[in-house]
């Protein structure tokens, strides 16, 4: 996407920005992520508009009723209520000036430690052909190859490994490959949805455990429940730009999990734990069933 031709308006939604720039919503999210744009204004404005709409329709509506209808917390409604009724004015943020920079600098990536890849390959079996659409430096793809799979490695940026392609916009052959990846979290639902559309049978996504939450993801999970979720009991090594030596002592702030989807699955989600107290010694320790009903 050419930055000189792309015009981002922070007061508009992602959908509206995509419409005005004649591009996909995923491309808008990438632009936001790459250029460090603060999307908080957009979220605040959306919440305020929800509150304003309800108060206009029903002037006597209470804060707790607004929270129930919007699915936001009561504290959130209290925070933005004065903006919605005009007592306070939300300050607009300026569109940041985009400076010229190398695309590699704009698209930092976070590499998955090989031991984490080996964990999921011990726990799950996949179709012989596996797509790794966010291959980065190839750390995940190489481990999948060692396990005997035929790996198709791609990345939106040429990092010297695999081939270059935008996973979300590329025309992939449907039903040829399973998908194993650690995607960019700014558009993770789009990645999962696309993976389910093209996979042969299974999709394995490494994500922070907190990605089980949020209404947007809940609505998606309800229609597309993961069949299994493997939660790490301790932090794993996810290294910015593949610099594992800087993160080999569990310095990540997140607890991660492997999320497994199976094509056509509509049952309950099985939750399992991976204990990784000692490096390279991960094992399954327990499991329980989470109902999606």
């Amino acid at each position: 996407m050419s930055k000189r031709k792309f015009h981002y308006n922070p007061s508009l939604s992602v959908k509206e920005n995509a419409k005005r720039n004649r591009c996909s919503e995923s491309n808008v999210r990438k632009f936001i992520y790459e250029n460090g744009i603060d999307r908080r204004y957009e979220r605040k404005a959306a919440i305020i508009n929800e509150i304003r709409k309800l108060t206009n329709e029903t002037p006597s509506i209470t804060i707790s009723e607004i929270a129930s209808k919007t699915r936001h917390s009561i504290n959130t409604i209290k925070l933005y209520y004065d903006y919605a009724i005009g007592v306070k004015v939300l300050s607009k943020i300026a569109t940041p000036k985009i400076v010229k920079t190398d695309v590699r600098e704009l698209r930092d990536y976070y590499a998955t430690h090989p031991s984490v890849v080996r964990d999921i390959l011990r726990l799950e079996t996949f179709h012989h052909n596996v797509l790794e659409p966010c291959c980065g430096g190839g750390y995940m793809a190489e481990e999948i190859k060692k396990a005997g799979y035929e790996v198709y490695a791609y990345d939106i940026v040429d990092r010297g490994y695999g081939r270059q392609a935008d996973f979300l916009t590329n025309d992939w052959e449907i039903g040829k490959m399973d998908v194993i990846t650690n995607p960019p979290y700014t558009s993770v639902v789009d990645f999962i949805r696309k993976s389910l559309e093209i996979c042969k049978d299974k999709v394995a996504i490494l994500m922070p455990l907190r990605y089980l939450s949020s209404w947007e993801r809940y609505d998606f999970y309800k229609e597309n429940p993961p069949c299994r979720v493997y939660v790490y009991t301790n932090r794993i090594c996810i290294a910015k730009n593949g610099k594992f030596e800087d993160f080999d002592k569990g310095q990540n702030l997140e607890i991660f999990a492997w999320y497994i989807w199976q094509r056509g699955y509509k049952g309950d989600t099985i939750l399992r734990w991976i204990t990784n107290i000692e490096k390279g010694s991960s094992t399954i320790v327990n499991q329980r069933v989470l109902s999606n009903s």
Side-chain angles (χ1 to χ4, degrees):
M1 186 190 309
S2 171
K3 295 181 179 63
R4 287 177 296 178
K5 295 181 180 179
F6 185 91
H7 301 283
Y8 177 75
N9 185 338
S11 65
L12 298 177
S13 67
V14 169
K15 183 176 181 179
E16 186 62 26
N17 271 287
K19 181 179 179 181
R20 295 192 178 199
N21 285 282
R22 297 182 181 180
C23 65
S24 68
E25 291 180 31
S26 62
N27 280 336
V28 176
R29 292 190 179 95
K30 287 173 190 172
F31 180 88
I32 291 167
Y33 174 71
E34 290 166 3
N35 294 288
I37 295 172
D38 185 358
R39 291 183 62 192
R40 287 177 294 178
Y41 175 89
E42 181 180 315
R43 179 178 180 275
K44 291 175 183 177
I47 294 172
I48 290 167
N49 286 334
E50 287 182 79
I51 299 171
R52 183 178 293 126
K53 180 180 178 182
L54 289 172
T55 55
N56 287 340
E57 292 174 351
T58 312
S60 61
I61 194 169
T62 66
I63 286 177
S64 60
E65 289 172 336
I66 295 172
S68 176
K69 288 180 177 294
T70 62
R71 293 182 174 181
H72 297 303
S73 70
I74 290 177
N75 286 337
T76 298
I77 301 304
K78 287 180 178 178
L79 183 63
Y80 297 115
Y81 185 80
D82 284 347
Y83 294 98
I85 63 175
V87 174
K88 295 181 180 179
V89 178
L90 185 66
S91 299
K92 290 187 176 181
I93 57 174
T95 304
K97 182 179 180 181
I98 309 303
V99 297
K100 290 184 178 180
T101 184
D102 187 87
V103 71
R104 288 175 181 267
E105 296 174 13
L106 286 174
R107 299 181 191 268
D108 287 331
Y109 78 98
Y110 292 81
T112 308
H113 194 277
S115 64
V116 177
V117 186
R118 290 193 291 269
D119 287 337
I120 199 60
L121 295 175
R122 283 197 298 268
L123 300 171
E124 296 282 341
T125 57
F126 298 89
H127 186 266
H128 178 69
N129 298 323
V130 173
L131 172 64
E132 214 293 55
C134 308
C135 66
Y139 300 101
M140 183 178 287
E142 284 299 305
E143 290 302 317
I144 300 171
K145 280 184 181 179
K146 290 177 185 177
Y149 293 95
E150 184 72 26
V151 181
Y152 298 81
Y154 291 82
D155 202 300
I156 195 169
V157 172
D158 181 6
R159 304 185 192 279
Y161 186 94
R163 300 173 66 182
Q164 189 172 1
D166 183 337
F167 175 67
L168 295 176
T169 60
N170 194 57
D171 186 18
W172 304 98
E173 184 177 345
I174 295 179
K176 178 182 178 181
M177 305 168 284
D178 281 352
V179 180
I180 305 176
T181 194
N182 178 4
Y185 302 137
T186 52
S187 51
V188 70
V189 170
D190 292 335
F191 262 79
I192 299 168
R193 183 180 288 109
K194 181 82 170 185
S195 297
L196 288 172
E197 288 174 359
I198 69 168
C199 76
K200 173 69 175 178
D201 182 48
K202 278 185 186 178
V203 174
I205 303 289
L206 183 69
M207 294 189 293
L209 180 59
R210 63 186 172 88
Y211 274 63
L212 277 174
S213 65
S214 94
W215 281 111
E216 178 190 4
R217 288 188 288 270
Y218 170 71
D219 288 340
F220 175 78
Y221 294 155
K222 194 171 183 180
E223 293 299 317
N224 305 276
C227 53
R228 286 172 291 282
V229 175
Y230 297 92
V231 181
Y232 279 94
T233 57
N234 290 279
R235 293 169 183 168
I236 60 175
C237 189
I238 301 292
K240 184 176 180 179
N241 295 325
K243 296 180 179 179
F244 292 111
E245 64 276 8
D246 295 335
F247 296 89
D248 62 358
K249 295 182 180 179
Q251 297 175 18
N252 302 289
L253 298 177
E254 299 273 9
I255 291 294
F256 278 79
W258 279 105
Y259 298 68
I260 309 299
W261 279 266
Q262 197 148 2
R263 177 181 282 277
Y265 184 79
K266 295 296 182 182
D268 292 333
T269 299
I270 297 176
L271 178 63
R272 294 175 175 170
W273 284 265
I274 303 174
T275 178
N276 56 320
I277 297 173
E278 295 182 8
K279 194 173 181 179
S281 61
S282 300
T283 55
I284 292 294
V285 294
N286 204 347
Q287 73 176 51
R288 65 177 297 183
V289 176
L290 302 179
S291 175
N292 293 302
S293 59

